[in-house]
Amino acid sequence: MNQTTKKVCLLTGAGGQLGNAFCRFYADKYHIVGVYRSKPPNVPSQQQLFVDPLNPKTKVLENEHPVFAIKADLSDDRQLERIVELTLARFDRIDLLVNAAVNLILAPIIEDNRQLENIEAQFNINVIVPLKLAVMVARNFWRNRVEENTQMNRNVINVSSISGVNIYPGIGQSIYSASKAGLNHLTRHMAYEFQSFGVRVNATAPTSFPSIISTESVVQSIIRLDEGTMTGKVLILDQEGENLT
């Protein structure tokens, strides 16, 4: 095992708003493996470094904590396996899995065909991929390491949405909301099974960000879940605060 105080975090959706913020704020706290589809996270990585344009030879502090970036199509099971293999080859372990990738289509059901045409894609990225990736990590690394998992406080955090808890009609979230409701229930079932080898599973379910709450507050909720001891919980975040269900 790589002897270091920094946990290894496998993060999907690293090129998105939440993923970028997580990498930017916490690259010094975790060894982050940032998985992205097309646009890499805007942080130092093995692919890019920051340079001071006024003094190119000056050290840039951000470069001291590069993200290990992996470009992948999460809809391809072979690439999911590759992600896990590359992470274990690079760091020898995975301590935290954050499923932050999302597929969101906003459209009405009747007047627009986009929802019907993208049902499978939304459920795949929002529900199925988080389960598949967690199971791959469990089978390839966690399953036979109960004591070590408990000691390292290893866990899975699924990024859900308050739309999976409450109904917000009129904005075209039908399939997205259904998928996030499924992810919330899946999180609880995963927690029950993963506890047999000492791994916790929770979800954070924020309202819209950054329009209603800040992106940083969502990132911080991930950190709190990682550092906590709870399992099988959904942490709801809205303008009134937090609520565990």
Side-chain angles (χ1 to χ4, degrees):
M1 179 186 296
N2 185 2
Q3 297 298 323
T4 176
T5 57
K6 292 174 69 172
K7 295 176 73 172
V8 177
C9 172
L10 174 54
L11 167 73
T12 67
Q17 179 176 284
L18 181 61
N20 261 291
F22 186 90
C23 292
R24 188 169 66 253
F25 294 141
Y26 291 106
D28 62 337
K29 179 180 175 68
Y30 297 93
H31 291 298
I32 299 175
V33 178
V35 182
Y36 67 97
R37 181 181 176 87
S38 55
K39 185 179 180 181
N42 188 26
V43 294
S45 69
Q46 83 277 18
Q47 301 171 351
Q48 62 184 15
L49 295 176
F50 287 173
V51 176
D52 183 345
L54 299 179
N55 193 347
K57 294 183 178 180
T58 301
K59 268 191 173 183
V60 178
L61 292 179
E62 289 88 342
N63 292 336
E64 295 181 7
H65 304 284
V67 167
F68 184 60
I70 300 176
K71 182 176 182 179
D73 179 0
L74 297 179
S75 65
D76 185 340
D77 285 356
R78 293 169 299 179
Q79 295 195 40
L80 293 181
E81 293 172 356
R82 171 176 162 269
I83 289 166
V84 175
E85 290 171 358
L86 286 174
T87 303
L88 292 175
R90 175 68 177 84
F91 293 108
D92 297 326
R93 69 179 200 271
I94 298 171
D95 303 312
L96 169 63
L97 169 61
V98 179
N99 288 303
V102 65
N103 188 312
L104 168 63
I105 301 292
L106 296 178
I109 301 173
I110 302 300
E111 290 83 7
D112 195 305
N113 285 330
R114 285 179 295 165
Q115 291 292 9
L116 297 180
E117 293 169 351
N118 289 279
I119 291 174
E120 291 86 356
Q122 289 188 78
F123 268 89
N124 186 44
I125 295 299
N126 299 344
V127 186
I128 298 172
V129 165
L131 175 61
K132 284 184 175 180
L133 197 53
V135 168
M136 287 180 186
V137 175
R139 289 177 176 174
N140 284 277
F141 186 69
W142 287 337
R143 185 163 51 182
N144 298 316
R145 291 178 161 85
V146 180
E147 184 176 343
E148 183 182 304
N149 294 337
T150 303
Q151 181 181 5
M152 294 293 295
N153 197 23
R154 288 176 173 144
N155 64 111
V156 178
I157 300 173
N158 295 321
V159 178
S160 184
S161 168
I162 199 171
S163 298
V165 179
N166 301 328
I167 302 298
Y168 299 97
I171 56 177
Q173 284 189 334
S174 55
I175 304 304
Y176 173 75
S177 296
S179 69
K180 290 301 187 179
L183 182 61
N184 290 341
H185 284 292
L186 177 63
T187 296
R188 298 182 178 103
H189 282 280
M190 289 171 65
Y192 176 78
E193 295 203 31
F194 279 48
Q195 68 182 352
S196 66
F197 45 85
V199 173
R200 301 180 298 111
V201 185
N202 295 288
T204 180
T207 187
S208 179
F209 61 90
S211 59
I212 298 178
I213 62 173
S214 68
T215 304
E216 184 174 0
S217 68
V218 183
V219 173
Q220 289 173 347
S221 74
I222 294 173
I223 301 302
R224 287 194 295 277
L225 288 172
D226 176 45
E227 294 178 344
T229 58
M230 70 286 286
T231 193
K233 299 296 183 180
V234 176
L235 178 62
I236 298 173
L237 307 174
D238 60 23
Q239 62 269 41
E240 297 179 359
E242 300 179 354
N243 181 33
L244 270 175
T245 64

